[in-house]
Amino acid sequence: MLPGFRSFQAASTSMLPAFAPGACFVTERRDRDTNPPPRGAIIVFRHPLTDADPIFRLTGLPGDEVQMRNGRLWLNGAEVAQSALPDLTYDTSQDPTFPCPSAPPGTATCEIDRAMETLPGGANYPVLNLRDGPLDDTGLLTVPEGHVFVLGDNRDNAADSRLPAHSGGPGMIPVGNIWGVVSSDS
């Protein structure tokens, strides 16, 4: 491995469909960079309370107001655009713990609602919606200076910035904790 680069592995289904559990990728170290990456970047960061290196999508920048309403992302008072995509068929035999409310027990595949989300600035990516979940509605959150807000693309299976660090998520991520940005070539 070249100096300044590090390899990581996706530990969960929180970033489906971009990264399946076990997917490997490489990032370049962002030493001393005090500017956050752009909205829509997939980042790896040091968890504020643990030694974990989660991978999530950066959706909120310092000063942004972020909220989830009925499973949809709102930024600065405006609903983020989504357009329907064909359902994703996920092979649950690879991960028998994957929560799939639409499939009977013992079924090998799961059909998951999928949509293309487009952030202000144009970054777009597919997101998944398994069901109505407890994190589908949040209060209005303001991203503090020097921090970012992250979400998993698999919204109903992601312990992301919607959860504070003391409740199992990472909360707002200090920009200095961002290890690197995952290249689209990973």
Side-chain angles (χ1 to χ4, degrees):
M1 184 80 36
L2 295 171
F5 288 84
R6 185 170 163 201
S7 63
F8 294 91
Q9 189 171 22
S12 72
T13 59
S14 64
M15 282 302 293
L16 276 176
F19 290 101
C24 295
F25 50 91
V26 174
T27 67
E28 184 174 7
R29 180 87 178 153
R30 290 175 28 98
D31 281 334
R32 298 179 202 92
D33 193 346
T34 58
N35 297 314
R39 277 191 196 99
I42 297 175
I43 62 170
V44 179
F45 56 92
R46 187 179 68 254
H47 189 284
L49 296 181
T50 71
D51 288 335
D53 294 314
I55 173 177
F56 285 114
R57 188 169 305 276
L58 191 158
T59 54
L61 295 170
D64 280 348
E65 291 183 335
V66 182
Q67 187 172 26
M68 295 296 293
R69 297 184 198 168
N70 297 318
R72 300 285 297 265
L73 175 62
W74 287 67
L75 281 174
N76 302 316
E79 185 174 11
V80 172
Q82 279 192 2
S83 57
L85 291 172
D87 287 353
L88 174 74
T89 301
Y90 184 72
D91 181 359
T92 58
S93 65
Q94 302 295 330
D95 182 4
T97 64
F98 186 79
C100 187
S102 68
T107 305
T109 60
C110 179
E111 298 296 320
I112 307 168
D113 287 344
R114 183 170 53 161
M116 183 65 68
E117 189 167 81
T118 304
L119 292 171
N124 62 358
Y125 46 87
V127 294
L128 302 181
N129 183 22
L130 284 167
R131 63 189 173 282
D132 291 336
L135 298 176
D136 281 353
D137 291 287
T138 67
L140 185 63
L141 305 166
T142 301
V143 182
E145 195 60 40
H147 291 71
V148 296
F149 185 93
V150 296
L151 286 172
D153 290 350
N154 186 358
R155 298 284 162 79
D156 292 318
N157 197 31
D160 48 35
S161 287
R162 295 173 288 177
L163 291 171
H166 66 273
S167 296
M172 304 287 181
I173 309 304
V175 172
N177 284 26
I178 298 172
W179 208 99
V181 176
V182 178
S183 165
S184 60
D185 299 331
S186 289

